[in-house]
Amino acid sequence: MSGAHSHSESHSESHGEPKLSSLYRQLILEHYKSPRNRGAVEDPTVEVHMQNPTCGDEIRLTLKVIDGRIAEVRHEGQGCSISQAAVSMMSQLLQGRPLDDAGRIAERFTEMMHGDEEAKKDRSMGDLRALAGVSKFPVRVKCALLGFDALQEALKEIGAAT
Amino acid sequence: MSGVAFDVASNRSAFPALDQEVDGHPLVYLDNAATTQKPRAVLDALEGYYTSDNANVHRGIHELSRRATEAYESARSKVARWIGAEDPTEVVWTRGTTEAINLVAFAYGLDRLGEGDEILLSILEHHSNIIPWQLVAARTGARVRYIEIDDDGEWILEDLPELVGKRTRIVALNHVSNALGTINPVERVIGHVRMHAPGAVVLLDGAQAMAHMDVDVGELDVDFYAFSGHKACGPTGIGALWGRKAHLEAMAPYQGGGEMISVVERDRSTWAAVPHKFEAGTPNIAGAVGMGAAVDFVESIGKPAILAHERGVVGYAIERLEARFGDRIRIWGPRAIERRSGVVPFSLDFAHPHDIATILDSEGVAVRAGHHCAQLVMKRYGVPATARASFYLYNTTDDVDRLVDALGQVENFFG
């Protein structure tokens, strides 16, 4: 129906229904077509396999942690443009970061997916900001969060191990 | 059955939900294999029931209860006639196909299966005709076996001699595939089972058949037939299990509660006659009434006419999709149009099914994307998911044109 009924409009977007161009931004398609850090870390500190049972998207995330820092992160799997671009962007941001940062990034991204305006503008989120438009497509939010769910699980496992 | 010519415009106008816009585009609803829209006649029957007849069934002495019981039972008789069953007491109301299959798995299978017994399914089954059998197999030591499918989505029947034998106790197969649209050669399998596994019972999952094909449980020579109302113009939450009376009478109850008992003592009780033995608790009376109205609606058009119309639209869809996308599209399922229902599953080599469905949605075109509760089929073809357009009696070649145009938008983003 007409966008006049929508209560979830943000000020920064044009009026009317959420636009596809806000979902499929160039940067997202670029990460989808040329994912960063694809593959598996050799001898990983932690390895997590995460699957979205409703759609079949899957991600295998491997991390090498040295002295409380993510020395190397890689991912493999398959899925839609949103899930694959999100994990690619996430891996880019995590390289070399302290584990504490990783937890904060995951939280911040979840806030962004729930429409938090501050999180959308957070420059420390790097390329992930391009995914802000996903929050307007509720059925696709779980796609964007798949890699972060894997990250949260990995952080939990590392926490349990140390 | 049909007294009037098939008129797609008049069919369409009978469905209020089709008359709306999505994202500024007139809705094109192509997710009929998930659930069909509901005609005004069904909505009126639901409202009429609640407005004037609402009461509990089989217990009140008062007028409204008498009317509710009459409506509920006459819907049962209508559904029985719809599937060629002579005795309406062989029709058990359920929440849908899933509950009907679970009823057979647990009330028949659990008490009769043992170590070494075999349950034969096909990898083309919906999860609702796999998981109940896995659950029962795990508790009884029975083994689940599968008929495989070929590249065109057809059962490989050459394997039957190896798959069917005296250990086969239950054969549970879908009549029409939800994932690929294949109209399965159930008669050939049932013939083979009757000859080589006389101790086996046969259940057909008719969820995808009832809206499109005349079904006669006697001619099919099955023991159980399971189906839903909502995939054939009826409400959600109502469906039925037809079973041979001798089986239903020999089976233990599936759930306990009111309505299903005869005499209740402190330590033991006796059961009501079938079908009430399997209908514990207050049933979905309005749903049954709505399903009865759906049967009348579908039969006023006639299933042979519906299927013929679908074949025209599906044939046009396959032709246009292949002409437009060539070897960049893969259409799954049988090549021969007469082997297929209204389902057209497809993959594009440049876009993931989710991205396809999101972009189509923004153009007002509703399709399903995912594994369609048929992960064994997806694994067989090595794909995580597919997009699926499924057509029904109100879809037109214009809808196909809208689909193809909207897929052009997918190409703009991802091609």
Side-chain angles (χ1 to χ4, degrees):
Chain A
M1 309 300 280
S2 126
H5 300 295
S6 174
H7 300 292
S8 59
E9 283 310 306
S10 88
H11 307 296
S12 56
E13 296 290 337
S14 60
H15 294 290
E17 290 296 323
K19 290 287 186 295
L20 273 185
S21 51
S22 73
L23 181 67
Y24 294 121
R25 299 184 54 180
Q26 211 49 48
L27 192 57
I28 295 173
L29 297 176
E30 200 257 319
H31 270 271
Y32 176 51
K33 286 168 184 166
S34 321
R36 321 294 198 267
N37 305 310
R38 198 154 166 85
V41 173
E42 228 173 281
D43 192 21
T45 311
V46 62
E47 170 177 346
V48 173
H49 183 225
M50 195 63 76
Q51 196 158 10
N52 182 339
T54 61
C55 64
D57 283 10
E58 56 182 333
I59 282 167
R60 185 179 298 278
L61 187 70
T62 45
L63 300 180
K64 182 87 175 168
V65 179
I66 300 173
D67 297 335
R69 280 181 181 274
I70 297 174
E72 194 182 1
V73 51
R74 289 191 179 275
H75 61 94
E76 53 193 351
Q78 49 79 28
C80 66
S81 61
I82 303 301
S83 72
Q84 299 304 302
V87 72
S88 168
M89 293 169 173
M90 178 187 89
S91 70
Q92 204 175 26
L93 203 56
L94 289 180
Q95 296 287 5
R97 289 295 187 95
L99 287 172
D100 289 352
D101 273 15
R104 189 192 61 80
I105 289 167
E107 272 172 38
R108 201 73 171 135
F109 186 73
T110 305
E111 289 165 9
M112 189 199 291
M113 287 302 100
H114 294 146
D116 186 301
E117 292 300 324
E118 290 303 313
K120 285 180 187 176
K121 291 180 212 143
D122 188 338
R123 296 179 63 103
S124 73
M125 296 299 283
D127 285 1
L128 284 166
R129 280 175 301 167
L131 287 160
V134 176
S135 67
K136 291 212 170 54
F137 293 80
V139 297
R140 303 302 298 277
V141 166
K142 67 183 190 318
C143 308
L145 287 175
L146 185 61
F148 286 89
D149 290 343
L151 175 63
Q152 301 267 33
E153 184 61 32
L155 294 176
K156 213 158 52 177
E157 283 184 28
I158 294 166
T162 53
Chain B
M1 284 275 183
S2 170
V4 286
F6 192 90
D7 177 354
V8 69
S10 124
N11 292 346
R12 200 178 181 95
S13 67
F15 291 81
L18 294 175
D19 182 24
Q20 64 175 301
E21 293 195 344
V22 170
D23 268 13
H25 305 278
L27 169 66
V28 172
Y29 186 77
L30 302 181
D31 196 16
N32 294 290
T35 194
T36 66
Q37 292 303 337
K38 316 307 171 197
R40 172 56 67 194
V42 168
L43 304 177
D44 287 347
L46 292 172
E47 196 189 351
Y49 168 75
Y50 278 125
T51 306
S52 57
D53 300 336
N54 176 56
N56 215 323
V57 290
H58 293 303
R59 49 195 82 168
I61 304 293
H62 57 80
E63 170 64 13
L64 265 56
S65 176
R66 189 196 62 73
R67 274 191 244 148
T69 304
E70 156 67 20
Y72 180 67
E73 291 302 330
S74 82
R76 191 196 306 273
S77 300
K78 201 173 278 178
V79 164
R81 283 196 299 278
W82 203 35
I83 55 171
E86 282 164 23
D87 183 353
T89 67
E90 292 182 326
V91 172
V92 179
W93 291 118
T94 65
R95 281 193 292 130
T97 309
T98 298
E99 190 179 51
I101 296 171
N102 274 275
L103 194 164
V104 177
F106 286 88
Y108 182 92
L110 203 54
D111 291 337
R112 286 164 183 77
L113 292 168
E115 203 77 39
D117 286 339
E118 294 181 357
I119 302 164
L120 180 64
L121 315 176
S122 84
I123 67 158
L124 205 42
E125 302 312 310
H126 189 283
H127 295 163
S128 60
N129 197 28
I130 297 175
I131 308 303
W133 303 112
Q134 288 180 345
L135 291 172
V136 166
R139 294 201 204 170
T140 58
R143 174 185 178 207
V144 177
R145 303 190 70 189
Y146 294 94
I147 300 173
E148 299 293 328
I149 55 174
D150 66 17
D151 289 346
D152 290 341
E154 297 274 8
W155 286 338
I156 300 176
L157 297 179
E158 290 73 26
D159 295 344
L160 281 182
E162 201 274 315
L163 287 169
V164 176
K166 54 181 186 298
R167 296 185 155 197
T168 311
R169 299 293 311 281
I170 292 172
V171 177
L173 299 166
N174 67 102
H175 197 171
V176 175
S177 158
N178 75 306
L180 300 177
T182 318
I183 297 173
N184 288 307
V186 293
E187 295 85 353
R188 288 183 58 192
V189 178
I190 294 168
H192 187 94
V193 168
R194 294 304 184 211
M195 182 113 46
H196 300 279
V201 294
V202 176
L203 174 145
L204 286 186
D205 162 2
Q208 296 290 333
M210 290 311 295
H212 316 278
M213 294 157 53
D214 284 332
V215 168
D216 185 309
V217 291
E219 269 175 35
L220 284 167
D221 189 22
V222 289
D223 295 282
F224 298 101
Y225 199 89
F227 54 106
S228 301
H230 75 98
K231 290 187 196 289
C233 298
T236 53
I238 188 76
L241 171 72
W242 174 84
R244 285 181 196 270
K245 195 146 191 187
H247 294 319
L248 294 178
E249 285 179 339
M251 285 156 62
Y254 174 54
Q255 294 181 335
E259 179 111 76
M260 53 77 72
I261 48 85
S262 174
V263 178
V264 176
E265 307 280 2
R266 285 179 180 236
D267 302 321
R268 51 201 290 279
S269 300
T270 53
W271 317 132
V274 295
H276 306 294
K277 180 171 79 177
F278 296 107
E279 294 179 358
T282 297
N284 183 356
I285 307 163
V289 170
M291 187 163 171
V295 171
D296 287 339
F297 177 85
V298 170
E299 286 309 317
S300 74
I301 296 167
K303 290 201 264 188
I306 293 171
L307 189 60
H309 170 76
E310 286 169 351
R311 288 203 167 130
V313 178
V314 165
Y316 179 75
I318 293 174
E319 198 180 292
R320 279 227 55 198
L321 288 168
E322 291 189 332
R324 174 72 174 72
F325 296 102
D327 57 9
R328 308 189 72 192
I329 193 166
R330 169 77 197 255
I331 293 171
W332 306 98
R335 297 303 303 169
I337 206 83
E338 67 277 5
R339 298 284 313 118
R340 184 193 277 275
S341 70
V343 172
V344 181
F346 62 95
S347 304
L348 296 172
D349 69 0
F350 52 85
H352 189 278
H354 285 168
D355 294 316
I356 295 172
T358 293
I359 293 174
L360 293 188
D361 181 50
S362 76
E363 298 286 318
V365 179
V367 298
R368 173 88 189 264
H371 53 57
H372 315 293
C373 298
Q375 290 188 9
L376 299 186
V377 176
M378 302 297 117
K379 289 192 174 87
R380 164 65 178 77
Y381 294 129
V383 293
T386 66
R388 180 186 72 185
S390 51
F391 300 89
Y392 198 41
L393 51 81
Y394 35 66
N395 292 120
T396 63
T397 53
D398 288 349
D399 293 343
V400 174
D401 293 340
R402 287 275 309 280
L403 168 69
V404 175
D405 289 349
L407 287 171
Q409 289 292 335
V410 179
E411 198 176 30
N412 291 344
F413 277 99
F414 288 94

